[in-house]
Amino acid sequence: MKRTKQIIFSFLLASAALFSFSVLMTSCHSTTAKKAQAKDSRPNIIYIMADDHTTQAISAYNKRYAKYFPTPNIDRIAKEGIRFDRVYCANSLCGPSRATIITGKYSNENHYYKNEHGGHFDPNQWTYPQEMQKHGYTTAMFGKWHLGTVPRGFDFFMYHDNPGQQGTYWNPLYNYNGKKVVIKGYATNITADSALAWLNRVKDGKKPFLLLLHFKAPHRNWFPDKKYQNMYPNVEMPYPPTFNDNYKTREKTAGNTWMTMDFLNHKDMKLKPPKGLKGKALHEWYSYGNKPGQDWMPPGCKTEQEARKWKYQRFIKDYLACVKSVDDKVGDVLNFLDKNGLAKNTIVVYTSDQGFYLGDHGFFDKRFIYEPSFRMPFLMRYPAKLKAGQVDSTLISNVDFAPTFLDFAGIKPPANAGVQGRSFKDIIEGKKNVPWRKAVYYHYYEFPWWHHVEPHYGMRTKRYKIAHFYYDIDVWEFYDLKKDPDELHNAINDPQYADIIAKMKKQLKALMKQVKDTGSLQQFREITDKDFGKLN
């Protein structure tokens, strides 16, 4: 363990030294990199994925918080490449979404359905990093893996490996190529600086590289770096338009959760515990607020509405401060590519494992098929092939990521891989009349812990959305997203939509058959109830 610490500290110190040296030796590095790339012209790929980073908190998508917390470096990817406005996850949870991304398969086919009692991802199934490694790419993964198994298909990996594999913001425990080591410092910086050190080692190689850079931030409990703590203490941050949603027409679904501001706990709010608490008692104190009946009144608040606003302000400032560090490190990656002559032939993607509620509908967290959590950011830059400043509204699913990256690398997934997604490379490159899907599919299974969100499946088309909530209720929801983009009115019983709803239900049934999610409701409930085991 001691030797592992020495190795990793040397690795990080080398990162800083080499990174600074590259600033002075730009032309030399550029020449070397170009020679190396000439030996294999396939693009490098850097896939940057944050955790729970939603489009509302990226100023390239939404200006709500841009006055105080802009994201200039993430925005730069959009400015110099393409911004996708309709990219969706197939299951809005950390582990299941990651499983879908690396396999190109829906949860029902990769069999990783949920976080809580979801067990381990099956490491024996095909993933796109293994395929790229097999076809000559140098590969590495840094940051949050969250699948319970050792990553395969990587020449080097360094992932969060504390219980549950969520990682910690401060002094995180990493699995460093098979050895566990605690590194002092802030996780966002450590993860990115380690990735930059690896890039320094491989940038002049003969083979193209694939780098998966996965940030823990801005996942709950939202601990910012010291330099960004307590920003704007006297500023009241903007509230989303749906903050005071009353859940009318959605009483049994959106109106029956444990993820409103009332359920933010003591730890979320950075409250100091009473002196003398230890062990289980301290844990219970920090967790207080998670469950019904544990709502608490912040200091100085007299009404429930005052309490919700107070909690929102603390939550949103910490969340956005965590994003600020992520944006800084995205900037470091882009600058590294520029200074080393790698930018032109390197695909850079910025995304998140799903969306997130930032007070939208009065919520935090994710899980629902509603737009804030269903929709993912997806920005791509590839100067050698893509024109700058593009915006696309094609319906993309995260099941499509794997085949798309392979397509850019000139690799076809093997037939026995069972990939269900489709490459959208032609769409990215601006080809016209590309045959494409009419709807994206969704299925969420976890219940009741965490957050008491009813399991449901559904789909979204360009204009409409339909969903069936089925675990211990039988509720359908339908939204006309053109007339009701905030999804405030469930129009399932509105007679003017009767024909459209009938067609949507038929279309949904056909889509479920297409993606092989054809179990009975009872079989779906059994997946929810089954204990597949702990993550680690």
Side-chain angles (χ1 to χ4, degrees), residues 99-145:
T100 290
I101 288 167
I102 62 171
T103 63
K105 297 187 288 189
Y106 294 93
S107 298
N108 58 287
E109 286 294 290
N110 66 51
H111 306 298
Y112 201 67
Y113 300 98
K114 52 191 182 178
N115 284 346
E116 190 72 11
H117 299 297
H120 294 174
F121 170 77
D122 177 6
N124 296 314
Q125 59 187 311
W126 178 94
T127 66
Y128 84 85
Q130 292 181 77
E131 195 68 22
M132 295 188 75
Q133 184 187 52
K134 177 182 175 182
H135 283 82
Y137 270 74
T138 299
T139 59
M141 182 271 156
F142 292 83
K144 185 173 178 180
W145 182 242

Side-chain angles (χ1 to χ4, degrees), residues 222-237:
W222 316 294
F223 283 93
D225 194 355
K226 291 179 181 178
K227 64 182 177 179
Y228 293 136
Q229 291 174 3
N230 302 315
M231 296 182 72
Y232 308 112
N234 299 317
V235 172
E236 187 173 32
M237 299 299 291

